[in-house]
Amino acid sequence: QPTLIVAAQDASEPFVLDARTGTRVPPSLNKYLRVYQRQGVQFLFERYRTGRGALLGDDMGLGKTIQVIALLSAIMHKSGTPNDADRRRKYVAKMQDRPEWKEERRVPPPDERWATALVIVPSSVVGVWAREFPKVRTCVLIICCSVFDGSV
């Protein structure tokens, strides 16, 4: 079972969520998290680790976006450095040179190295995320929007 470690008092350190797997929020992002936001990230990570979903809701302006960015950065093993930007792209480019790709045209499924997450949010949040993710620069945001209006 993973060891959950409470964030160091020094926010310039990474926020370690699982010492065994090295899952951590990069220091460049951790320094912006408040204590209650770290608790929120721990909550979300524990649900992710156990394969359970979660719902994050609070008053407007308390940092749900940065908590989700922190979680995604951690599970995707982002370093918080410019090296993150092309890491997946370079991996896929190398993979596309292999014969298996030419025959099957499949990208490997998500795993511990290339985690994925489904995030469902109100459409009003998409614009906010499009503005906020580039500021943090630890995650690449790919926005795929589908609108469900409630009718069947």
Side-chain angles (χ1 to χ4, degrees), residues 88-103:
R88 173 76 172 170
R89 186 176 300 126
K90 288 177 184 176
Y91 174 75
V92 171
K94 285 180 187 175
M95 186 200 62
Q96 289 175 331
D97 292 336
R98 297 181 186 162
E100 303 89 40
W101 169 260
K102 293 175 182 171
E103 293 170 16

Side-chain angles (χ1 to χ4, degrees), residues 34-124:
R34 295 186 173 102
V35 172
Y36 70 88
Q37 292 169 329
R38 288 188 190 99
Q39 292 169 343
V41 174
Q42 279 185 311
F43 169 81
L44 292 170
F45 176 72
E46 184 59 26
R47 298 314 172 276
Y48 174 82
R49 187 189 64 75
T50 58
R52 297 164 44 202
L55 177 66
L56 181 62
D58 61 22
D59 290 335
M60 198 167 130
L62 292 180
K64 293 176 291 297
T65 298
I66 196 163
Q67 290 175 63
V68 172
I69 292 171
L71 173 71
L72 295 175
S73 296
I75 67 172
M76 294 177 183
H77 299 282
K78 300 291 186 170
S79 65
T81 66
N83 295 337
D84 289 337
D86 293 325
R87 191 174 59 130
R88 173 76 172 170
R89 186 176 300 126
K90 288 177 184 176
Y91 174 75
V92 171
K94 285 180 187 175
M95 186 200 62
Q96 289 175 331
D97 292 336
R98 297 181 186 162
E100 303 89 40
W101 169 260
K102 293 175 182 171
E103 293 170 16
E104 299 178 25
R105 298 226 180 252
R106 277 192 295 167
V107 174
D111 58 19
E112 284 192 16
R113 182 174 180 197
W114 303 111
T116 190
L118 172 64
V119 180
I120 300 172
V121 297
S123 58
S124 61

